[in-house]
Amino acid sequence: EWAVGGTLLLQAALAAAGCGEHRRADELTDRAAGVAANLREYDDQHHTSFGPVAVELARVLVAASRGDADEAVRRHVTIVRQEAWRRLPAEYRGAYLLDAARAYLQVGDLCGAARALVDADSVAPAEVRCRPLARTVIADVARAQPAPAGVARLATLVGLTR
């Protein structure tokens, strides 16, 4: 049951961040980190994927929502190199990569945003091709001339261009 509680703390942290309550978001994320630190591998009976890597992903999203895209990108680069990242479900990684692409856009890194979009599409195509958020991010990146590699193809796949 700890994993469920930790997951709820992260959801609350992301909701607080979305409402501009950044200090509260940090507090909730820190509480979730405490829960994650005490988990054993077999504690995730409900398959929430909660654990230290989920906390780190939330820290990226909280930093991005706070407008600290530099911290968000720095944390993102570290996380996606970890083995625990690769063990997360594909849909979880795909959805997260869309959020990471938004963070890259915030710092004006079109290549980073494009790379995150293309990675998301290779990991979980439905996340990229069916979610309205993805269409918005793809459109923002595709506006660059020339569009970064792979993004023009994604724009066509989701019906933004012909």
Side-chain angles (χ1 to χ4, degrees), residues 1 11 18 24 34 43 49 52-54 69 110 117-118 120 136 140 144 146 162:
E1 302 306 315
Q11 290 299 316
R24 185 74 179 134
D43 281 341
S49 296
V53 72
L110 284 174
L117 284 171
V118 171
T136 303
D140 289 346
R162 293 174 191 248

Side-chain angles (χ1 to χ4, degrees), residues 142 151-162:
V151 175
R153 180 184 64 80
L154 284 176
T156 302
L157 282 171
V158 300
L160 293 172
T161 59
R162 293 174 191 248

Side-chain angles (χ1 to χ4, degrees), residues 88-152:
L88 289 172
E91 298 80 21
Y92 197 106
R93 287 181 288 147
Y96 165 78
L97 284 166
L98 288 176
D99 290 324
R102 284 196 327 202
Y104 275 111
L105 280 175
Q106 287 178 353
V107 291
D109 183 348
L110 284 174
C111 290
R115 196 168 42 254
L117 284 171
V118 171
D119 288 350
D121 186 61
S122 70
V123 168
E127 288 293 321
V128 176
R129 299 176 192 185
C130 300
R131 287 184 60 200
L133 166 70
R135 294 174 60 82
T136 303
V137 176
I138 291 167
D140 289 346
V141 176
R143 277 199 255 304
Q145 294 301 322
V151 175

Side-chain angles (χ1 to χ4, degrees), residues 7-108:
T7 300
L8 292 173
L9 285 168
L10 290 183
Q11 290 299 316
L14 295 174
C19 294
E21 300 279 335
H22 304 298
R23 184 175 300 131
R24 185 74 179 134
D26 288 334
E27 290 169 4
L28 290 163
T29 306
D30 289 344
R31 284 180 57 196
V35 172
N38 292 314
L39 282 181
R40 294 173 304 275
E41 188 94 15
Y42 52 84
D43 281 341
D44 193 9
Q45 300 165 346
H46 298 287
H47 306 289
T48 63
S49 296
F50 176 77
V53 72
V55 172
E56 287 307 308
L57 296 178
R59 289 191 194 282
V60 170
L61 303 179
V62 168
S65 73
R66 184 174 45 240
D68 191 351
D70 289 328
E71 178 187 345
V73 168
R74 182 176 44 76
R75 286 182 177 275
H76 166 76
V77 169
T78 302
I79 291 166
V80 296
R81 292 181 178 149
Q82 297 175 9
E83 179 61 32
W85 160 256
R86 289 184 284 284
R87 287 195 308 260
L88 289 172
E91 298 80 21
Y92 197 106
R93 287 181 288 147
Y96 165 78
L97 284 166
L98 288 176
D99 290 324
R102 284 196 327 202
Y104 275 111
L105 280 175
Q106 287 178 353
V107 291

